[in-house]
Each structure stands twice: as C-alpha cells, then as structure tokens.
Amino acid sequence: MKITVLDGYGMNPGDLSWDEMSKLGDVTVYDRTSPTELMERVKDSDILLTNKVILNDDNLRALPNLKYIGVLATGYNVVDVKTANELGIVVTNIPAYSTDSVAQMVVAHLLNITQRVGYYADENRKGRWSSNPDFCYWDTPLTELAGKTMGIIGLGNTGSATANIARAFGMNVKAFTSKDQADLPEGVKKASLDEIFSSADVVSLHCPLTDSTKHIINAERLRQMKPSAIIINTGRGPLVNEQDLADALNSGTIYAAGVDVLSSEPPKADNPLLSAKNCFITPHIAWATKEARQRLMDIAVSNLRAFLDGSPVNKV
C-alpha cells in the first residue's frame, strides 16, 4: 500500500515520529507540495494524507489507484468530497484533537491584551524599571477579568472549553449557539448576537465558517461593541472582515484584538491587521502544541488503520 504525505512539515517538523504510520504501508513524506509537483508525486498512490494541499475534482479523477484521503486537520475543505464520494474514495478528518490547546491560546491572547506581560518584560530589558523614579510604572490599561462578560460565538468543543476557563476567571459567559439553554454548561447563558456584541467585554469566535458566519465581525457589529471591548479569533480567518476590524481598532471603536488566523495564510504584506493599533497576531499556532500534534498523528494513524481493517471512522 503506497502512502504519500503531501505536507507533513506542519504537523511534524521533526519532533514526532512517522514510525507507526510506516507500519501500515510504504510511506513517503514530503514537507511541502506545490500544485506543480502534486500529480507527479501522487500518481501511483493508494493513500494520500494532506493538510493544506488542495485535491480538486481534476486531481481526483486522474488518480485511479486512490482509495483513501486522510485530512490532517478538522476542516476538510481542501478536498472535493463530492467527487471523492462519487469515485468511492474514503475521506476522513481529525476531530477535536486541539480543543484544549486552542482554548489555551484564547486565554493567552486575552491575558496578553489585559496584562501586557511581554511588553513590560521587553521594557525592563531596556532598563526602564531600573531608571524609574517610582517602585512601579504602567502606561497601558490593566484590566481585571473577574466580573467582565465573555461572549462566545459557537459553543462546540473549543467554545465550551473556553467558557470553562472564562468562568474560572470569574467572568460572566454568554453564548450564541443553536443549543437550548437547558443543554448549556452551568453558568453559560444563551444569548442573541445583538446581546453579545452590545454587552460583552470580550467576544471569542468558535463557530464554523459558513455563508452565514463569513464576516460575522464587520463594521456594523463592531459599532455595537463597547470601546473597551476585545475580539479574539482562533477560529477561521474569514469570520472577520479584516479591513473593518482594522478600521475599528485604529479609530478606537473597540480596544484590541487577538488573532491567530487570517483570511490568507501566510498573509499578504498589506493585510490591514498587520499594522492595526492594538492588534496582536500569532501565526496560526493555537493548534500546534506538541501534545495536540501528537494526538493529531495518533488519530491519523488510527483513522488509516480502521480504513485498512474495513471499518473506517471519522468519515466526512
């Protein structure tokens, strides 16, 4: 069984092992695969593993040996699933492997914005505290989270984990979700989007990207928010209209944003959020703790083993 990993570097830059995967077939791992390299690399493959490499209708129809595609992520929009189903190609994904890591990144952004630990550490390396006339100094707002309101849009795995952490900080939690109030965790109130945007001190995005959620953060919604409010996006880049958010930050319509995902990755140099006031951007690493990546590897192997045993799991 010929197994080809198209872009393995993102999941495993060298600190994990492919050994368990290699027990299942003849494995070739490419760190990255460009569109021009794709077909030559996969022409004889029975099994493909991909994270960001796109497998479209034309690709799939040109691969008569292909039996299985394992997407090394939760989202599977990189694969034309309709064509795969038509051709009898099984497609699987990796659900819920990074829940705790993503929730942790939400809090990392939130604490960075409210406490600015990195900023003050850098200032002190420059000698600012040593030359200060007083025993302390600060020149950014410092905010206590207890008693503030966290608005969560989408209460799936990561939204629920984020809600639990927010409650541990003493925050009030409101959620926009399709779930009934009776099914929500204790201390979480079901709320409309209008209520969340108008009342929340922090809005954290955890919803899937659909036609109805694309640009859910836009100029109209941002104008509903408090000038002290914070946006956190660890979900999908296109949930945010980036120009509208940049304008809101630069004008003081809202205070700050913590962003781990952008609409185009890597971003274009002229992305307005890169230079926006009080916008703190990490390079799509919420999922990338070693623990989460090891779970990703383990589930990828388990998915493939189940397929080879004739009982595929996590099919999409």
Side-chain angles (χ1 to χ4, degrees):
M1 194 68 67
K2 183 172 175 54
I3 303 168
T4 303
V5 182
L6 294 173
D7 49 352
Y9 186 87
M11 177 175 73
N12 180 17
D15 56 349
L16 304 179
S17 171
W18 295 102
D19 288 353
E20 291 301 310
M21 185 79 69
S22 297
K23 294 177 182 178
L24 302 178
D26 178 16
V27 177
T28 300
V29 179
Y30 296 101
D31 283 348
R32 302 167 188 86
T33 297
S34 70
T36 58
E37 295 169 324
L38 175 62
M39 295 311 294
E40 179 62 28
R41 289 182 173 182
V42 304
K43 60 184 180 182
D44 298 321
S45 298
D46 302 289
I47 291 165
L48 295 181
L49 299 178
T50 180
N51 187 331
K52 298 299 183 186
V53 176
I54 293 172
L55 297 168
N56 62 28
D57 178 271
D58 290 341
N59 301 146
L60 299 179
R61 293 187 186 280
L63 298 171
N65 295 335
L66 187 60
K67 304 173 182 66
Y68 175 90
I69 300 169
V71 180
L72 301 174
T74 302
Y76 48 88
N77 59 307
V78 295
V79 178
D80 187 326
V81 175
K82 181 180 178 182
T83 298
N85 289 337
E86 178 187 332
L87 297 174
I89 300 168
V90 172
V91 182
T92 67
N93 73 336
I94 316 283
Y97 70 93
S98 61
T99 297
D100 291 332
S101 293
V102 174
Q104 181 174 303
M105 179 61 86
V106 173
V107 177
H109 271 292
L110 184 54
L111 293 179
N112 172 62
I113 290 168
T114 56
Q115 302 292 150
R116 299 295 297 278
V117 172
Y119 166 74
Y120 288 109
D122 287 343
E123 288 293 289
N124 293 339
R125 289 189 189 97
K126 299 172 186 176
R128 182 172 175 183
W129 197 10
S130 299
S131 61
N132 198 64
D134 302 307
F135 78 96
C136 69
Y137 71 92
W138 66 92
D139 55 8
T140 67
L142 301 175
T143 303
E144 183 175 278
L145 294 175
K148 299 296 190 296
T149 297
M150 166 79 83
I152 295 177
I153 299 178
L155 202 66
N157 291 319
T158 58
S160 296
T162 300
N164 289 337
I165 298 172
R167 291 186 61 233
F169 277 120
M171 301 183 76
N172 304 308
V173 179
K174 297 179 180 181
F176 178 74
T177 175
S178 59
K179 297 175 182 177
D180 294 331
Q181 178 64 57
D183 297 326
L184 300 191
E186 182 182 354
V188 178
K189 176 189 174 186
K190 184 180 174 77
S192 67
L193 285 177
D194 285 338
E195 181 178 355
I196 284 177
F197 280 103
S198 62
S199 67
D201 299 287
V202 183
V203 172
S204 188
L205 303 179
H206 299 280
C207 52
L209 178 62
T210 65
D211 290 342
S212 63
T213 61
K214 183 178 180 180
H215 291 180
I216 197 168
I217 300 297
N218 55 51
E220 180 181 357
R221 289 299 185 188
L222 290 162
R223 284 193 293 269
Q224 290 182 271
M225 301 183 76
K226 302 175 182 179
S228 58
I230 298 165
I231 293 281
I232 308 287
N233 186 15
T234 57
R236 296 287 183 265
L239 295 172
V240 173
N241 182 313
E242 291 168 342
Q243 187 62 63
D244 286 357
L245 178 56
D247 291 344
L249 291 166
N250 291 330
S251 67
T253 300
I254 68 168
Y255 172 55
V259 175
D260 188 58
V261 287
L262 293 173
S263 60
S264 177
E265 297 173 348
K268 296 178 181 179
D270 61 354
N271 186 303
L273 291 182
L274 294 174
S275 57
K277 180 181 177 183
N278 287 340
C279 187
F280 303 91
I281 302 174
T282 47
H284 202 145
I285 55 172
W287 68 280
T289 62
K290 186 174 183 180
E291 292 83 358
R293 289 185 293 107
Q294 184 63 63
R295 281 192 292 273
L296 182 62
M297 177 73 81
D298 293 344
I299 297 170
V301 171
S302 178
N303 282 353
L304 179 52
R305 184 179 290 115
F307 166 75
L308 294 175
D309 289 342
S311 302
V313 296
N314 294 322
K315 289 178 61 177
V316 298

